[in-house]
């Protein structure tokens, strides 16, 4: 058996080791999973701590713990830990040695060779220090590879042709963007820019500030003991992660501190909407860096063929959304963004070992699934704005939630439609199911309904809608959500061809088949109610037109004329939209 070469992502916050064999990448697990926090410490007995144990210790004994040593690589400094002084190479070597040990345990034999990744902007001195760290750990560093190159390999290895990809890497403490040129098997970083003081830790900090503000304004608590603070920081990060998948996160910490001698429990909620406002300026900063990187290479956004997401913080939906808006394409993040660089390093290692490699395959949904809501399509008011919940190329299984609001006072039901497709107007997508949630509590309009889409590896799509206030819930399960469209798409394609040949086609839009009357009626009533409320504030002409349209809506509803109803509703919506803005 030839000697294996492992791939190592030696990160600022976390590190991983991976092995590529027989077409598969394995991220090698240590005692607490595949991710080793890049922390090193000495405990009170003088014992060495690496990874999670050191990270936990950092909270209480920062003076005996080192984190983010990567930032010091290449510098001539000494770090005091316990009774000894260490160079940055030595601290990094401790992390590398732990990864080497994990790999040996997994492999059942010595592991002596590695490919290690570094940021594209690392200087010669920093690269050399990384090499030395490997050697101190007992590893022959076969190659130092740029992190964006490794990420690109994961997606592009074995694919022939020419491509320009942008690697957007947002980790815990750093942000890097690189433009990578791929020509068959040659991958080259052509531009790189970043901010090594921006990352997910800043997002956590914003939530921490939000919690502190809540404690001070709602409960007049301003003195926070250090231990409570550490718990708040952890809770903030946990809430942030929940908000990547759900519209709300509960922050609950029992007995977080004592207030006037009485135990105080922290109980609050943060919405994704509020969170996104807190972090919006950070995302703007990353986009500015993206444009600088492009400018450096004389490229425009349209010259980029693909965007690859790397780093744990790219799970933040706002990151993906802003990139999609900016570039007009969905960024790719099928490969776990925390593990992508290590996986790429292992591919490079396998190539250096003489093996054939190909892009890593991950189980993803090839389709986007979502629902519809009242909103805007290209600036125009619409009842059928498509709201994607699970996007194409998301690894499965996956579960995503989104919040929707009731539109009128006393609304007793909402109809949830389930679509597959990418079009902005939900009606242009394929409707694959719908259900009614009735018996809503008669709250004022703006009642929160949480829709959750869960897709499993067998292609079962489970959709539920829950009234947040009462917990009232309804759901449907759709079998073969992944394969049925092949048939639907085939049918659509077949119909298209038939039409081209002038043959008659049986239209089978599910919306038409099942009759959208129920949903339209609810929407029409909501619209009429809203319009009536605005009559007083409208000028004479608008008021007259609105009254006419309200009558026409009533008539269309009575006569069951769907198409006419939609037209008149659109006219009325336009006036309302105009008056509101
Ligand atoms: P990395 O340095 O690539 O390991 O990324 C670590 C950062 O990713 C930390 O700030 C984490 O809090 C953040 N992170 C991990 N999972 C998520 C998630 N689901 N949503 C948002 N941020 C996350």
């Amino acid at each position: 058996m030839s000697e294996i070469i492992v791939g190592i992502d030696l990160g600022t916050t976390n590190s991983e080791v991976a092995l590529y064999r027989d077409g598969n990448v394995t991220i090698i697990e240590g005692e607490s999973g595949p991710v080793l926090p890049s922390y090193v410490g000495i405990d009170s007995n003088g014992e060495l701590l690496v990874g999670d144990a050191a990270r936990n210790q950092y909270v209480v004994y920062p003076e005996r713990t080192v984190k983010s040593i990567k930032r010091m690589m290449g510098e001539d400094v000494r770090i005091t830990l316990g009774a000894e002084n260490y160079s940055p190479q030595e601290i990094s070597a401790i992390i590398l040695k732990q990864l080497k040990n994990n790999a040996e345990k997994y492999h059942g034999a010595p592991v002596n060779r590695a490919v290690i990744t570094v940021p594209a902007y690392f200087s010669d001195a920093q690269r050399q220090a990384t090499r030395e760290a490997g050697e101190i750990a007992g590893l022959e560093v076969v190659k130092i590879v740029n992190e964006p190159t490794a990420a690109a390999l994961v997606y592009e290895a074995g694919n022939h042709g020419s491509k320009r990809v942008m690697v957007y890497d947002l980790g815990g403490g750093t942000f890097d963007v690189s433009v990578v040129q791929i020509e068959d098997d040659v991958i080259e970083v052509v531009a790189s820019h970043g901010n090594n003081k921006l990352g997910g830790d800043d997002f956590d900090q914003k939530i921490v500030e939000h919690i502190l503000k809540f404690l001070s304004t709602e409960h007049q608590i301003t003195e926070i003991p250090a231990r409570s603070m550490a718990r708040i920081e952890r809770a903030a990060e946990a809430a942030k992660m929940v908000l990547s998948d759900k519209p709300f996160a509960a922050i609950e910490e029992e007995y977080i501190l004592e207030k006037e001698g009485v135990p105080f429990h922290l109980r609050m909620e943060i919405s994704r909407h509020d969170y996104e406002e807190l972090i919006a300026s950070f995302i703007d900063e990353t986009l500015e860096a993206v444009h600088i990187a492009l400018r450096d290479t004389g490229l425009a956004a349209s010259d980029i063929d693909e965007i690859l997401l790397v780093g744990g913080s790219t799970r933040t939906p706002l990151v993906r959304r802003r990139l999609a808006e900016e570039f007009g394409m969905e960024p790719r993040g099928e490969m776990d963004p925390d593990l992508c660089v290590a996986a790429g390093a292992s591919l490079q290692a396998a190539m250096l070992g003489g093996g054939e490699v190909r892009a890593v395959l991950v189980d993803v949904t090839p389709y986007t699934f979502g629902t519809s809501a009242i909103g805007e399509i290209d600036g125009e008011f619409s009842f059928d704005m498509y709201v994607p919940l699970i996007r194409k190329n998301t690894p499965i299984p996956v579960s995503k939630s989104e919040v929707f609001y009731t539109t009128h006072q006393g609304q007793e039901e909402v109809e949830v439609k389930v679509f597959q497709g990418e079009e902005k107007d939900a009606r242009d997508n394929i409707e694959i199911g719908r259900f009614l949630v009735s018996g809503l509590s008669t709250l004022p309009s703006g009642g929160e309904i949480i829709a959750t889409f869960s897709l499993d590896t067998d292609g079962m799509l489970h959709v539920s809608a829950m009234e947040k206030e009462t917990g009232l819930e309804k759901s449907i399960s759709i079998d073969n959500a992944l394969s049925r469209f092949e048939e639907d798409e085939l049918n659509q394609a077949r119909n298209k061809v038939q039409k081209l040949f002038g043959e008659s086609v049986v239209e089978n839009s599910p919306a038409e088949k099942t009759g959208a009357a129920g949903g339209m009626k609810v929407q029409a009533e909501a619209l009429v109610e809203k319009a009536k409320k605005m009559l007083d504030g409208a000028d004479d002409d608008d008021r007259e037109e609105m009254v006419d349209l309200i009558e026409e809506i009533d008539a269309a509803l009575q006569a069951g004329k769907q198409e006419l109803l939609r037209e008149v509703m659109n006219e009325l919506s336009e006036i309302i939209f105009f008056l509101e803005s």
Side-chain angles (χ1 to χ4, degrees), residues 513-527:
K513 255 194 332 204
T514 46
M520 284 275 279
K521 184 164 179 281
V522 173
Q523 289 174 349
E525 285 168 356
L527 188 71

Side-chain angles (χ1 to χ4, degrees), residues 9 11-16 35 55 169-174 199-204 237 240-245 275 310-317 337-339:
D9 172 5
T12 310
T13 327
N14 293 310
S15 299
E16 298 86 20
V35 173
R55 183 179 188 238
D169 181 350
L170 187 60
T174 56
D201 298 347
D202 298 302
F203 299 3
D204 301 348
E237 187 182 15
K240 170 185 82 173
M241 291 180 181
V242 169
L243 292 173
S244 287
D245 297 324
Y275 168 62
V310 177
S313 301
T314 59
R315 292 202 185 87
T316 311
D338 284 319
L339 308 177

Side-chain angles (χ1 to χ4, degrees), residues 251-404:
I251 301 174
E252 289 177 2
E253 291 287 318
E254 294 295 313
Y255 203 168
I256 183 90
L257 43 75
E258 264 184 18
K259 184 186 173 192
E260 290 147 14
V262 183
F264 177 83
H265 309 301
L266 170 64
R267 290 212 177 89
M268 64 182 288
E269 187 182 74
I270 178 164
S271 70
R272 186 191 286 160
H273 179 265
D274 290 346
Y275 168 62
E276 289 185 344
E277 280 188 355
L278 295 175
I279 60 164
S281 63
F282 294 133
I283 315 282
D284 287 343
E285 266 183 66
T286 68
L287 291 175
E288 277 162 30
V290 163
H291 287 294
I292 292 173
L294 286 175
R295 223 178 298 138
D296 285 354
T297 35
L299 295 172
S302 54
D303 295 320
I304 299 297
D305 298 309
E306 217 144 32
I307 305 168
L308 310 182
L309 298 178
V310 177
S313 301
T314 59
R315 292 202 185 87
T316 311
L318 185 61
V319 167
R320 290 170 188 239
R321 229 167 51 227
R322 292 294 311 277
L323 281 169
E325 280 164 14
E326 203 85 3
F327 284 84
M329 72 175 118
E330 279 296 320
R332 295 183 63 183
E334 304 92 282
M335 181 71 200
D336 187 325
D338 284 319
L339 308 177
C340 187
V341 169
S346 78
L347 284 174
Q348 178 72 79
M351 288 159 84
L352 292 167
E356 277 277 307
V357 301
R358 54 178 155 73
V360 179
L361 292 178
V362 191
D363 220 356
V364 295
T365 162
Y367 304 106
T368 297
F369 296 96
T371 186
S372 58
I374 293 179
E376 279 179 33
I377 302 176
D378 298 331
E380 301 266 325
F381 179 92
S382 168
F383 286 105
D384 301 289
M385 180 182 77
Y386 185 46
V387 184
L389 272 95
I390 296 180
R391 289 186 183 271
K392 187 171 149 176
N393 285 336
T394 307
I396 47 179
V398 60
S399 181
K400 295 274 177 191
S401 308
E402 194 62 72
V403 66
F404 296 89

Side-chain angles (χ1 to χ4, degrees), residues 40-171:
V40 173
I42 302 281
D43 74 9
S44 52
N45 300 321
E47 298 281 328
L48 178 69
L49 302 174
V50 190
D52 279 298
R55 183 179 188 238
N56 292 339
Q57 173 176 279
Y58 182 78
V59 173
V60 263
Y61 300 111
E63 68 281 8
R64 279 203 259 116
T65 323
V66 181
K67 71 167 190 171
S68 306
I69 191 64
K70 188 171 174 177
R71 294 189 196 280
M72 294 187 188
M73 290 296 272
E75 287 177 25
D76 188 13
V77 289
R78 308 293 296 176
I79 295 107
T80 310
L81 201 57
E84 289 259 6
N85 280 329
Y86 298 87
S87 67
Q89 289 90 316
E90 285 167 334
I91 301 286
S92 287
I94 295 171
I95 298 167
L96 289 171
K97 179 92 170 83
Q98 181 66 51
L99 294 172
K100 171 174 149 71
N101 289 353
N102 293 350
E104 289 176 341
K105 209 162 163 190
Y106 169 83
H107 181 53
V111 172
N112 299 316
R113 305 170 81 199
V115 165
I116 303 179
T117 57
V118 295
Y121 61 79
F122 252 29
S123 64
D124 278 348
Q126 290 168 306
R127 286 166 198 262
Q128 185 52 31
T130 306
R131 242 177 218 291
E132 284 165 20
E135 278 154 27
I136 300 167
L139 287 167
E140 178 198 340
V141 182
V142 189
K143 191 168 181 176
I144 295 277
V145 178
N146 287 326
E147 288 161 9
T149 305
L153 264 178
V154 170
Y155 289 92
E156 304 294 340
N159 295 343
H160 293 288
S162 161
K163 233 180 197 182
R164 209 177 277 127
V165 303
M166 191 181 90
V167 181
Y168 178 105
D169 181 350
L170 187 60

Side-chain angles (χ1 to χ4, degrees), residues 199-243:
D201 298 347
D202 298 302
F203 299 3
D204 301 348
Q205 196 48 41
K206 284 283 176 193
I207 301 183
V208 167
E209 286 165 17
H210 185 73
I211 296 172
L212 295 183
K213 197 165 154 204
F214 168 84
L215 287 175
S216 124
T217 51
E218 302 287 322
H219 299 281
Q220 294 71 52
I221 297 172
T222 47
E223 302 271 310
I224 316 281
R227 265 165 211 272
S228 311
M229 199 59 205
R231 280 179 67 192
I232 289 175
E233 280 165 10
R234 289 250 170 156
E237 187 182 15
K240 170 185 82 173
M241 291 180 181
V242 169
L243 292 173

